Amino acid sequence: MYFGKKNSEEPEIIMEDTVVYACGSADCNGWMRKDFASENYDCPMCGSQLVEEIRELPKIENEYNAFK
């Protein structure tokens, strides 16, 4: 029996420079994207101050459309 796979190609991962907030503590490796960060610039894991930096991360589409 044959089961065909539709669109068997893997989706292409687009990498882009992304602004993130990283924990300033040397003991903690917590970070979050600027798009998803709250207005409180304290690390949620250890409470230290977050520092803005740029990392190359996969692109995330974060647009919400209720009618899709």
Side-chain angles (χ1 to χ4, degrees), residues 61-68:
E61 298 292 331
N62 61 350
E63 295 179 19
Y64 176 73
N65 186 353
F67 299 107
K68 272 192 171 179

Side-chain angles (χ1 to χ4, degrees), residues 39-51:
E39 294 180 9
N40 180 7
Y41 295 116
D42 293 332
C43 178
M45 297 171 65
C46 70
S48 296
Q49 186 70 23
L50 294 175
V51 179

Side-chain angles (χ1 to χ4, degrees), residues 22-33:
C23 183
S25 173
D27 297 331
C28 180
N29 61 356
W31 62 274
M32 65 182 91
R33 293 175 186 252

Side-chain angles (χ1 to χ4, degrees), residues 12-24:
E12 183 180 340
I13 298 174
I14 300 170
M15 301 296 281
E16 67 179 4
D17 288 338
T18 307
V19 178
V20 298
Y21 291 115
C23 183

